[in-house]
């Protein structure tokens, strides 16, 4: 069974100071498109919040708009996918601790977004 990659969109987008703050939605769309180009059999879930809500899913990437806190939504998704080879992409230390309680692996933003 393929694994699940849950991406903390705000954290990954914010990891590179490339002007993302001027167009949060556009930055989330660029990240989504980069993720879609990864290939592989894993299920990819990009969690967005705030100004990035409204970004559409594309083949290969399901966009999940958090109704409130993106971190809370990521924890919910991690709990639901625990045991499926779930990996969360974030540099947020508190979030890492929360999802590791479900046996979920964590990796940093550079895993999906090389430094520009």
């Amino acid at each position: 069974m393929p694994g699940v990659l849950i991406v903390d969109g705000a954290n990954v987008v914010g990891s590179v100071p490339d002007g993302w703050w001027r167009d949060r939605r556009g930055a989330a769309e660029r990240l989504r498109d980069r993720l879609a180009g990864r290939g592989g059999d894993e299920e990819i879930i990009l969690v967005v919040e705030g100004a990035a809500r409204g970004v559409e899913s594309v083949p290969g990437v399901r966009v999940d708009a958090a109704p409130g806190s993106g971190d809370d939504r990521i924890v919910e998704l991690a709990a639901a996918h625990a045991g499926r080879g779930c990996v969360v992409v974030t540099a947020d230390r508190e979030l890492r601790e929360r999802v590791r309680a479900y046996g979920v692996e964590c990796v940093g933003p550079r895993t999906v977004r090389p430094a520009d």
Side-chain angles (χ1 to χ4, degrees), residues 2 4-5 9 14 17 20 24 34 37 54 56 59-62 71 76 83 101 105 113:
V4 179
L5 185 70
W20 59 265
R24 293 171 193 257
R34 188 176 306 113
E56 299 290 327
V61 179
R62 176 167 62 99
D71 289 0
E76 290 172 6
E105 180 184 351
R113 180 178 184 159

Side-chain angles (χ1 to χ4, degrees), residues 4-6 8 74 78 86-90 95 99 104-108:
V4 179
L5 185 70
I6 301 170
D8 180 350
I74 290 166
C86 184
V87 177
V88 170
V89 181
T90 187
L95 178 57
V99 298
V104 171
E105 180 184 351
C106 296
V107 296

Side-chain angles (χ1 to χ4, degrees), residues 3-115:
V4 179
L5 185 70
I6 301 170
V7 181
D8 180 350
N11 188 267
V12 172
V13 164
S15 69
V16 177
D18 61 0
W20 59 265
W21 51 88
R22 290 188 295 267
D23 181 11
R24 293 171 193 257
R25 184 174 176 159
E29 289 171 340
R30 288 188 296 278
L31 173 59
R32 176 205 57 202
D33 295 346
R34 188 176 306 113
L35 292 168
R38 285 175 53 98
D41 292 334
E42 65 196 353
E43 177 184 356
I44 301 174
I45 303 170
L46 173 61
V47 177
V48 297
E49 61 187 348
R53 284 188 189 102
V55 171
E56 299 290 327
S57 296
V58 296
V61 179
R62 176 167 62 99
V63 177
D64 188 308
S69 161
D71 289 0
D72 290 346
R73 183 64 183 143
I74 290 166
V75 172
E76 290 172 6
L77 290 166
H81 291 92
R84 278 193 59 199
C86 184
V87 177
V88 170
V89 181
T90 187
D92 183 315
R93 287 187 182 127
E94 181 182 334
L95 178 57
R96 284 174 171 239
E97 289 178 23
R98 291 175 67 192
V99 298
R100 283 185 179 139
Y102 295 99
V104 171
E105 180 184 351
C106 296
V107 296
R110 286 191 179 175
T111 304
V112 297
R113 180 178 184 159

